Amino acid sequence: MKPTANVDEREYVLGTGADELERLGLQHRLWSDAAHQAWKSARVQPGQRALDIGCGPGYAAFDLAQLVQSAGRVVGVDESRAFVEHLRAQAAARGLTQLAGRVGDVQKLREVLAGEAPFELAYARWVLCFVPDPGAVIAGAAAALAPGGRLVIHDYFNYECMTAAPRRESFTRVVAATARSWRKPGGDPDVMGRVPSLLAAHGLELERLEVHQRIARPGESMWQWVASWWRTFTPKLVKLGEISPAEERRFHEDFDGLRADTDFVVLPTVFEVVARKPLR
Ligand SMILES: C[S@@+](CC[C@H](N)C(=O)[O-])C[C@H]1O[C@@H](n2cnc3c(N)ncnc32)[C@H](O)[C@@H]1O
């Protein structure tokens, strides 16, 4: 798949190329246990309607489509035409007629979802941290939900807690550069700190607030989450001018030198929210 511009031609910081498509697939595999646990607490059932906000290539949406089954419906929304085309092609190949993709800005869900009936579930994973106006996303999700429907969010607060242990200067610098690169186009690696008040402002009741704090050691499957992240993202940091090629080289030397018997990486904490739209 070739990199393709997003709908508004704004350059999304992580990109939408083949490297990111593959990384998102691995990421979903490694984090799907948390997604399924959260969907269970949101009581996802066959026959329901689910919305995947910022669905990317559709990895979570494929699972949701299997959970709601053919009597239900899943709508994935993403600004990347290439990702939405991937979702549609996979939905067709897998016979998931209940899964549809819409290209659009998640900050304008009312427009994007015009004509759609209300949803029992809305899911937003790792998208609020990249948008300038997360309140607009939550407002749109609240409007899209049926009374009693639930919004589930997985996202970051204190992303910069990610560290190599023992600490490495090169690692700390690259993590700080990453947070800067998200903030510049209007994202917020601390967004989950604002979410509870945004939910309340848009009439949603917070039912569950949890964290998933994990570490990864070289050789473990979760190690591939950090390894694939840095493999794909440090070249982007160099291109953005956030780190120099020398800093990138130094980082990868240090990263590749981390040892399974003595070293580990503290992963960025993933926060989980389940919020409910009141019945009236
Ligand atoms: C890190 S990916 C996560 C994808 C998916 N939620 C997942 O967990 O696999 C973030 C996604 O948000 C999308 N995105 C970022 N800003 C957006 C916006 N304003 N409107 C729609 N999609 C957006 C990107 O195109 C990308 O697919």
Side-chain angles (χ1 to χ4, degrees):
M1 189 190 71
K2 296 230 170 61
T4 317
N6 295 341
V7 265
D8 62 0
E9 303 299 325
R10 178 183 65 88
E11 191 58 34
Y12 163 56
V13 66
L14 271 51
T16 58
D19 60 342
E20 181 63 1
L21 186 132
E22 187 177 26
R23 189 193 71 79
L24 288 171
L26 173 69
Q27 176 172 261
H28 176 65
R29 279 283 159 241
L30 294 170
W31 282 93
S32 59
D33 56 340
H36 281 268
Q37 187 189 322
W39 298 337
K40 249 188 222 166
S41 48
R43 308 207 172 98
V44 179
Q45 302 288 329
Q48 286 186 340
R49 296 171 50 85
L51 172 64
D52 188 355
I53 300 171
C55 60
Y59 298 113
F62 303 141
D63 288 7
L64 283 170
Q66 286 175 317
L67 289 173
V68 302
Q69 301 189 341
S70 54
R73 179 168 170 82
V74 177
V75 179
V77 177
D78 202 281
E79 67 177 0
S80 162
R81 206 170 287 284
F83 281 172
V84 172
E85 274 166 15
H86 182 271
L87 177 149
R88 288 178 181 147
Q90 283 291 311
R94 299 178 192 202
L96 296 170
T97 51
Q98 67 272 38
L99 174 56
R102 294 243 195 287
V103 179
D105 186 345
V106 295
Q107 296 161 109
K108 298 179 183 159
L109 282 174
R110 279 175 207 260
E111 273 172 39
V112 179
L113 296 173
E116 282 288 340
F119 294 88
E120 278 81 33
L121 175 80
Y123 183 50
R125 182 174 62 180
W126 293 312
V127 63
L128 294 180
C129 61
F130 295 115
V131 297
D133 191 353
V137 182
I138 289 174
L145 284 175
R150 289 181 172 88
L151 171 60
V152 175
I153 303 172
H154 281 128
D155 220 308
Y156 296 123
F157 174 74
N158 196 19
Y159 179 84
E160 286 152 277
C161 71
M162 179 172 18
T163 183
R167 291 186 193 275
R168 305 281 197 285
E169 174 62 20
S170 63
F171 201 102
T172 307
R173 290 166 82 91
V174 166
V175 171
T178 300
R180 277 198 308 277
S181 77
W182 295 6
R183 285 196 175 100
K184 279 188 186 161
D188 181 3
D190 280 334
V191 73
M192 271 304 221
R194 294 150 65 198
V195 163
S197 59
L198 289 171
L199 295 170
H202 295 290
L204 297 176
E205 293 166 354
L206 185 58
E207 280 189 332
R208 178 180 164 87
L209 178 58
E210 275 302 327
V211 293
H212 297 270
Q213 180 60 68
R214 296 182 181 174
I215 62 165
R217 299 171 66 196
E220 292 177 349
S221 57
M222 199 45 125
W223 187 254
Q224 286 310 315
W225 190 45
V226 260
S228 65
W229 168 247
W230 293 123
R231 190 167 58 241
T232 54
F233 200 62
T234 63
K236 293 170 192 165
L237 286 174
V238 173
K239 220 167 149 191
L240 290 166
E242 294 292 350
I243 57 171
S244 67
E247 283 176 309
E248 185 191 29
R249 262 196 313 279
R250 182 64 209 261
F251 168 81
H252 283 288
E253 279 163 20
D254 283 350
F255 187 76
D256 294 344
L258 292 171
R259 292 170 39 161
D261 51 347
T262 53
D263 304 333
F264 61 96
V265 167
V266 178
L267 302 179
T269 318
V270 176
F271 283 70
E272 176 174 304
V273 149
V274 179
R276 186 163 183 256
K277 182 165 174 168
L279 287 172
R280 63 175 78 196

